[in-house]
Amino acid sequence: IKNDYEFTSQNLSCLQEMLDFLQNDLPDNIRFEVMKKIMLVAAMEQKENRNSFLPAEFMKTCRKLTSGEIVLLLKTYDISKNLEKWKSISEWNANQWLDFMSKESGLKYKQLVEIHEEGLIKRKLITPRGYNDKSGIILSEHFRLTDYGFELCEFISAYPESL
């Protein structure tokens, strides 16, 4: 982290978001770790430069997510990076996706995955359901992640685990 980073508006925005999160929300370990990673990746200026507003936007988005939504989002990102795992099924329906993700994410129950799916769709992090009866899913080039959801996950994953 460069010496003068602490005086940047990006750092002040991210720091304010973190302090508000710690003071006003009920941070658990999963949510805190994601917020910390975003803040430190921003400070290292690996993914975005110090003039970018995206790290603060990422923090605002993640602050609104539940732990279950974060688990589902990050598992969707992991799967999106493994083409063989999800492209082997030519057409997905919602029930298949819920069943698949309940096993892959460790959330265990399709109903729990569906609850968290709704939050991620609402925040435009994953693609919506397809068809009028919502029985299908819309795949993107990143499995079900929107471009914003994918970029957010890329940012989080840029955190060096050796820290």
Side-chain angles (χ1 to χ4, degrees), residues 32-142:
F32 175 76
E33 284 296 314
V34 165
M35 295 286 282
K36 177 185 81 173
K37 287 178 180 183
I38 293 169
M39 188 168 180
L40 291 175
V41 168
M44 290 184 274
E45 299 181 80
Q46 291 178 327
K47 296 289 288 177
E48 294 289 331
N49 69 40
R50 62 182 55 196
N51 299 318
S52 175
F53 63 90
L54 279 177
E57 289 297 317
F58 290 155
M59 290 185 81
K60 286 176 186 175
T61 298
C62 286
R63 190 174 164 193
K64 295 174 186 168
L65 298 176
T66 66
S67 293
E69 289 168 344
I70 290 170
V71 167
L72 187 59
L73 177 69
L74 294 177
K75 183 47 75 174
T76 303
Y77 172 72
D78 289 345
I79 292 167
S80 78
K81 312 241 345 130
N82 184 350
L83 293 177
E84 300 82 42
K85 195 164 211 160
W86 65 276
K87 287 218 173 182
S88 62
I89 299 174
S90 60
E91 190 171 319
W92 288 77
N93 66 44
N95 200 43
Q96 283 175 302
W97 189 83
L98 293 170
D99 187 52
F100 179 76
M101 292 306 292
S102 66
K103 293 172 185 151
E104 291 291 322
S105 68
L107 292 171
K108 191 176 178 181
Y109 301 102
K110 293 190 313 188
Q111 297 84 357
L112 194 54
V113 171
E114 190 168 21
I115 289 167
H116 298 310
E117 174 197 32
E118 290 170 8
L120 295 174
I121 291 170
K122 179 182 171 189
R123 289 179 179 77
K124 311 292 189 217
L125 296 170
I126 64 172
T127 58
R129 295 274 187 100
Y131 307 122
N132 289 338
D133 64 358
K134 306 291 184 207
S135 65
I137 60 167
I138 298 171
L139 294 177
S140 72
E141 66 179 286
H142 308 293

Side-chain angles (χ1 to χ4, degrees), residues 19-30:
L19 292 173
D20 288 348
F21 169 70
L22 293 171
Q23 183 175 351
N24 299 323
D25 298 351
L26 297 171
D28 57 41
N29 193 48
I30 291 172

